[in-house]
Amino acid sequence: MIKISKSRAGTQRVTFSLPIGAPPGRVSVVGSFNDWTPGRHHLTPRSNGRRSASVDVEPGTVIQFRYLGENGLWFDDPDLPDRADGNCVCTTA
């Protein structure tokens, strides 16, 4: 699940969220906002039964991303439609 909201600095906060155990193990979100560098944005457990990570970007930014789980498991956001190019894409308002 992706949530986009305004941050205090005039940027858009994009929050990436998955259920705690799907998939099991550590997961990071990797994409155009972090130069596709694994491990920079690990999803951390929250009290609502999910885990999440947030990044701040300029309004109108197009974000490409995928999730990276343990043992090199790459996967797309289950709440976004499949993409032919292998990346999920969202645009901040």
Side-chain angles (χ1 to χ4, degrees):
M1 176 171 65
I2 305 285
K3 179 181 172 187
I4 300 173
S5 58
K6 290 184 180 180
S7 74
R8 295 181 192 172
T11 59
Q12 296 287 312
R13 173 155 290 179
V14 181
T15 301
F16 303 90
S17 173
L18 294 172
I20 284 182
R26 195 159 183 150
V27 174
S28 63
V29 61
V30 184
S32 55
F33 52 86
N34 64 11
D35 295 323
W36 295 94
T37 305
R40 288 187 60 194
H41 293 94
H42 285 285
L43 278 65
T44 57
R46 305 293 180 212
S47 61
N48 65 0
R50 298 185 68 83
R51 55 189 164 173
S52 65
S54 297
V55 297
D56 290 337
V57 298
E58 293 298 319
T61 300
V62 175
I63 297 173
Q64 294 180 305
F65 71 97
R66 295 193 79 200
Y67 295 105
L68 178 59
E70 291 186 358
N71 300 315
L73 171 68
W74 287 95
F75 62 100
D76 296 321
D77 192 296
D79 295 329
L80 294 178
D82 291 338
R83 303 280 307 174
D85 60 8
N87 296 312
C88 294
V89 177
C90 68
T91 303
T92 60

